[in-house]
Structure formats: C-alpha cells, structure tokens
Amino acid sequence: MSPLYKLTYFATPGRAEAIRFLFSYAAVEFEDVRIAYEDWPALKNQTPFGFLPMLEHEGKKAHQSVAIMRYVAKQVKLAGNDDWEDLEIDATVDTLRDCSSKFHPLRLETDEEKKKALLEQLFKETVPYFMRRFEALVQKNNGYLALGRLTWADLYFVASIAAGVKQYTDIDIIKEYKTLAELRTKVLENPRIKKYLENQPKL
Amino acid sequence: MSPLYKLTYFATPGRAEAIRFLFSYAAVEFEDVRIAYEDWPALKNQTPFGFLPMLEHEGKKAHQSVAIMRYVAKQVKLAGNDDWEDLEIDATVDTLRDCSSKFHPLRLETDEEKKKALLEQLFKETVPYFMRRFEALVQKNNGYLALGRLTWADLYFVASIAAGVKQYTDIDIIKEYKTLAELRTKVLENPRIKKYLENQPKL
C-alpha cells in the first residue's frame, strides 16, 4: 500500500524539513517527493496557490508549510489536547517565525558593510531578546517549548530556526543558549529523526 | 458580570483589529483595552513574550494575534468543522500574511526613488499574483475565502490586509478585484461590524 500522505517540495530542507521531521518522529510513512527546480514550472499550476510545499492526502491538496504541519501534528497526536493548549503551541511557533523574519531584510541588502552592521545588530539585540525568552519557556516546560512535553513546536524549532538563519550566516544562533541546545540535541538524537537524516538523499 | 475575554493592545487597529472584528461579528462581549504608548514599558513584562496583543481568558494569558484569533474563532464557531477544514482556513490566512510580508522591505528603504521602484514592482507583480488567486478562491467558495461560508479567514482578510498595506501606500489594493471588494463590503456592512466601527474610540 502506498503511504497515506504525499509531501512535495524541492530537494532542500527549506520549508518542508519540519514536516518531514514530524512524519519521521511520529513514524508515519509519507511519500517524500523532492522535485528538481527544472520540473517546478510544469507543476506550479497543479498546486493550490503556486507554492510548495504541498501536501496530498485522501485525494485533497493543501499548501502552506506551517498550516500543513499543524494539520499533520493533530493526526499524529503531537498537538495540544484542547484549544488553549493548541493556542500555546501556535503562539510559540508564530514567535519562532517572527524571530526568523527579523533576518529577512538581509536578503535585500546588497551593500556588504550594511549587511554586516545589520547582522551585528541582530546578534546583539534580536537574538538575545528571543532566545532568552525561549530559554525561559523551555525551563518552565520540562525541557520543551510548550505543554511540558514534545509537540510539533519543538520539531519546528529544531528543523526551522537554525536552518532558516543559516541562509544568512554560519553563526549557530542556539549554541550559547544551553537549554535550547539541549532541546535540539534531544530531537536530533531521537532514533527516528536520526534515521531520517541518515537516509535522506544527499544534496 | 465582566466579559470572559480581555484583549489588550495599543489604540490602533494594527495586529488586534482582526480579533476585535471577530468578537464583534460573533457578538461576544470582550474587554477592549487600548493602552497608551507611554504605559507600555510598565506592562511589557506582564505579557507572555513582551508583545501585544495579549488575550486574557479564565486567568490565563496568551499572545500572538493570529494564534489568538484561531483560538477565539474555534470558541465562537467561525473555524472549520474538522481538521482539514481548519487546514484550508490556516493555509489561506498564512497566504494573506505572506502577501502582506512582501510589503515589509518598504519599511527599511530610506531612499525615496528605490521605495517608489519597489512599490511599483509590488503592484505590477506581487499584488496581481496574490489577488487573482484569492479572487479565484472566493469565486469557488460562494463569496468567501474558504469552506463556502464566512470564517475567521474573511475577517482577517478585511481587517488586516488593506490596513497592513495602508502603512506604506494609500493605494487600495483590493479595489480592482471585484470579488474581493464585494467580500469586503459584505463584512463591513454586517450590522455588528458596523456598530463596532462606529463605536470605537477615535484615534
């Protein structure tokens, strides 16, 4: 039998990696379709909005990585147990996204000196502001970002935030924050995540 | 009896307006706290992450506007009826957010000529790309963005997207897209939304 879920994205971690982590962690088989950039124009019009990743499930198609991840998390029981618990997870994930988005202006900056200044300011102000608060959350939540247990917020954090920032700099933004580094290690050393990372196609 | 929900934000539409629309549309009383900027430093440390808006409900506090809105929408039955329906709403809302975020680089651009060029490109490429696809969605969904009925995605759209873009330009980005303009009119002419807008404190 073919897997119940089909996830289509490019052959990079990007916006699909956290969803791949989620399927892997939950030990749910999924079709991990990785397309070449030259095949994208032909596929674009078959997606809901012209964007990837795309999830296909029971004959339906959906897009938007975080929305897909929230949906899958509910199916594999890595979401909240009630609406308020889901709110706690959602708020944390959106705050992680806010933190990543602070790095986006670097994309448009072509002046190397200005880029350097922007990056310095990010590491002096933005990163400590967010990371200290995320650390406090993890300390309060038994080593996880929310609800005192592993949820999709933790997988999103590990798969996305460091990877997202890595587009702009090689600095490991988590390293200095012990509690967060421990959470990352815990996720990356999970046997199913390890197996996923070892078996994924080389770039 | 005091309202069950307390929403704290600044005295502007900003990130709280869509939530205020939601409470108003659903005819759910809420404490609409609007603080002055000079009172913010004293309040900041009493919020979950140092950000507004903040929702207080049953002795608990939450932040992140879209996460709060999703939570409230579930309580007032303007969300999906199952997980896949929620995914459809969530994907639409995140695509609206993506569209707004394309305007963010304008914030950092100080050169007026470059700003003008950026804005021109946005209206030539980005706005038509998104708005045509949102139009197709609304045509498919009985005059709404998702599920063939009014959901929190529609309230988010009307309260946020035009307001968000208005920070940068006076151009009405919806006007040329008839189906979207009709959806906006439908929401703004709802008697409860009208009443909310008429009764809100003047800026």
Side-chain angles (χ1 to χ4, degrees):
Chain A
M1 213 178 81
S2 61
L4 291 172
Y5 298 95
K6 179 174 166 181
L7 182 69
T8 304
Y9 193 65
F10 303 103
T12 58
R15 292 178 182 274
E17 194 67 355
I19 310 169
R20 294 173 184 145
F21 265 48
L22 180 56
F23 279 125
S24 306
Y25 187 90
V28 169
E29 213 194 329
F30 71 109
E31 205 179 328
D32 188 3
V33 180
R34 297 175 183 227
I35 66 160
Y37 289 115
E38 61 258 37
D39 296 330
W40 172 229
L43 180 65
K44 191 173 167 76
N45 283 327
Q46 296 168 50
T47 67
F49 218 90
F51 299 132
L52 293 180
M54 169 171 69
L55 178 74
E56 291 170 82
H57 181 52
E58 295 177 346
K60 291 171 293 188
K61 290 173 178 182
H63 75 125
Q64 281 293 353
S65 56
V66 173
I68 289 171
M69 197 174 178
R70 182 180 298 109
Y71 172 79
V72 173
K74 289 176 191 165
Q75 316 313 306
V76 303
K77 311 289 178 214
L78 289 171
N81 289 324
D82 59 38
D83 293 342
W84 190 272
E85 285 196 0
D86 278 326
L87 169 53
E88 280 191 47
I89 295 173
D90 288 350
T92 301
V93 169
D94 273 0
T95 309
L96 290 166
R97 294 162 85 183
D98 282 350
C99 178
S100 303
S101 76
K102 303 285 182 195
F103 285 79
H104 290 177
L106 288 167
R107 264 190 218 167
L108 292 171
E109 190 53 75
T110 45
D111 181 314
E112 282 305 317
E113 278 305 302
K114 282 189 186 165
K115 203 173 218 164
K116 211 182 134 194
L118 203 52
L119 207 54
E120 252 170 44
Q121 201 205 348
L122 282 166
F123 276 92
K124 210 179 132 193
E125 289 171 24
T126 312
V127 171
Y129 183 94
F130 282 91
M131 293 303 148
R132 280 179 200 152
R133 283 169 174 80
F134 286 131
E135 275 222 308
L137 265 187
V138 171
Q139 279 154 7
K140 201 181 75 179
N141 278 294
N142 190 33
Y144 299 97
L145 279 163
L147 313 187
R149 60 176 170 89
L150 188 132
T151 68
W152 67 277
D154 302 298
L155 300 176
Y156 181 84
F157 170 68
V158 175
S160 298
I161 196 145
V165 173
K166 215 164 183 179
Q167 294 173 58
Y168 309 111
T169 168
D170 274 336
I171 304 173
D172 179 353
I173 69 165
I174 294 172
K175 205 175 63 183
E176 283 179 47
Y177 302 91
K178 199 169 153 268
T179 318
L180 300 176
E182 281 167 7
L183 172 57
R184 175 168 62 183
T185 303
K186 200 155 50 186
V187 168
L188 294 178
E189 291 192 348
N190 171 274
R192 297 178 301 277
I193 295 289
K194 263 184 120 151
K195 194 178 145 200
Y196 159 71
L197 289 171
E198 281 162 14
N199 293 340
Q200 71 176 336
K202 291 279 168 291
L203 280 182
Chain B
M1 214 178 81
S2 62
L4 291 172
Y5 299 94
K6 178 174 167 181
L7 181 69
T8 304
Y9 193 66
F10 303 102
T12 59
R15 293 178 182 274
E17 194 67 356
I19 310 168
R20 293 173 184 145
F21 266 49
L22 180 56
F23 279 125
S24 305
Y25 187 90
V28 170
E29 214 193 329
F30 71 108
E31 204 179 330
D32 187 4
V33 180
R34 298 175 183 227
I35 66 159
Y37 289 115
E38 62 258 36
D39 296 330
W40 172 227
L43 181 65
K44 191 173 167 76
N45 283 327
Q46 296 169 49
T47 66
F49 218 92
F51 299 133
L52 293 180
M54 169 171 70
L55 178 74
E56 290 170 83
H57 181 52
E58 296 178 346
K60 292 171 293 188
K61 290 174 177 182
H63 74 125
Q64 280 294 353
S65 56
V66 174
I68 290 171
M69 197 174 179
R70 182 180 297 110
Y71 172 79
V72 173
K74 289 176 192 165
Q75 315 313 306
V76 303
K77 310 290 176 212
L78 288 171
N81 289 324
D82 59 38
D83 293 342
W84 190 273
E85 286 196 359
D86 278 327
L87 168 53
E88 280 191 48
I89 295 172
D90 287 350
T92 301
V93 169
D94 274 1
T95 308
L96 290 166
R97 293 162 86 184
D98 281 351
C99 178
S100 304
S101 75
K102 303 285 182 196
F103 284 79
H104 290 176
L106 288 168
R107 263 188 221 169
L108 292 170
E109 190 52 73
T110 46
D111 181 313
E112 281 305 316
E113 278 305 302
K114 282 189 186 164
K115 202 172 219 163
K116 211 182 134 194
L118 203 53
L119 207 54
E120 251 170 44
Q121 202 206 348
L122 282 165
F123 275 92
K124 211 179 130 193
E125 289 170 24
T126 311
V127 170
Y129 183 95
F130 282 92
M131 293 303 147
R132 280 178 201 151
R133 284 169 174 80
F134 285 131
E135 275 222 309
L137 264 187
V138 171
Q139 279 154 7
K140 202 181 74 180
N141 278 293
N142 190 33
Y144 299 96
L145 279 163
L147 313 186
R149 61 177 170 89
L150 187 132
T151 68
W152 66 277
D154 302 298
L155 301 176
Y156 181 84
F157 170 68
V158 175
S160 298
I161 196 147
V165 173
K166 218 167 181 174
Q167 294 173 56
Y168 309 111
T169 167
D170 274 336
I171 303 172
D172 178 352
I173 69 166
I174 295 172
K175 205 175 64 183
E176 283 179 46
Y177 302 91
K178 199 168 154 270
T179 319
L180 299 176
E182 281 167 8
L183 171 57
R184 175 168 63 184
T185 303
K186 201 155 50 186
V187 168
L188 293 178
E189 291 192 348
N190 171 275
R192 297 178 302 279
I193 295 288
K194 261 184 121 151
K195 194 178 146 200
Y196 158 71
L197 290 170
E198 281 163 12
N199 293 342
Q200 71 176 337
K202 291 281 168 292
L203 282 181

